[in-house]
Amino acid sequence: MTAISIVLAEDQAVVRAGFRALLDAEPDIEVAGEAATGEEALEQVRVLRPKVVVMDIRMPGMDGLEATRQITEDKALADTKVLVLTTFELDEYVFGALRAGASGFLLKGGEPAELLQAVRVVASGDSLLAPSVTRRLIEAYTARPDGATEPPIEGLDELTTREHEVLRLVAAGLTNGEIAEDLQLSPLTAKTHVSRILMKLGARDRVQLVVMAYESHIVER
């Protein structure tokens, strides 16, 4: 089995070394490169093409938010996922990173096992939506008064009635299996609906679908 390749982007050398020791100890994970700034992270990702970037938000020079945006907007890096690290739960920079295409985020003060699980979840192509704090964060910022200034989301009018139902359930954090059970569909049909919604809305993953659902008021607080 091919190991999950990682680029670690964290400006504090001691913290970065701790993350590296933790990740490298796992047989299915390999730290391919390290970066202390957003610029270095971009360089490493473009050369190494890792499966996952563990990205700190606050770094000198180019921050993790801008680095995340550039990675997720680069079609050549479509297979690279970004897992954002933050110190605070309700951090507007984190919300910006999710909107920029990050596949999830994790609190720095969490348990080591949480980082390992997060890396594996993101690498598998899923998004880190399970923690309730993710939904609280999205709800908090999409409900701001300036949320009305967001441009319309293209492709919403192309969704079928069933796809709107599926999108609401995705936004609630349900898995494909749970969606299938709720709507009395087969798991394969539920997965197909989610794939079509991703394609129609041009979303990178389920996290972006959640953000879009709240921004478009398909799901309200």
Side-chain angles (χ1 to χ4, degrees), residues 2 26 32 35 44 62 70 76 80 100 105 113 170 175 196-197 217:
T2 304
E26 298 298 304
Q44 292 283 311
M62 180 189 294
Q70 292 198 32
T80 296
F105 81 97
V170 169
T175 64
R196 287 176 178 167
I197 295 168
H217 302 291

Side-chain angles (χ1 to χ4, degrees), residues 43-76:
E43 291 174 7
Q44 292 283 311
V45 170
R46 286 168 177 159
V47 171
L48 299 171
R49 303 294 175 91
K51 192 68 178 177
V52 178
V53 184
V54 178
M55 180 80 75
D56 187 20
I57 282 286
R58 303 178 187 278
M59 293 185 289
M62 180 189 294
D63 63 13
L65 175 60
E66 179 59 27
T68 295
R69 181 179 294 111
Q70 292 198 32
I71 290 169
T72 59
E73 288 181 351
D74 189 338
K75 292 182 179 179

Side-chain angles (χ1 to χ4, degrees), residues 3 5 7 31 59 62 86 98 109 136 144 150 160 167-168 190 206 213 219:
S5 57
V7 164
V31 178
M59 293 185 289
M62 180 189 294
T86 183
L98 291 175
R136 290 206 310 273
R144 291 175 304 173
E150 295 292 341
T160 65
L167 178 56
R168 289 190 185 96
R206 296 171 82 99
V219 176

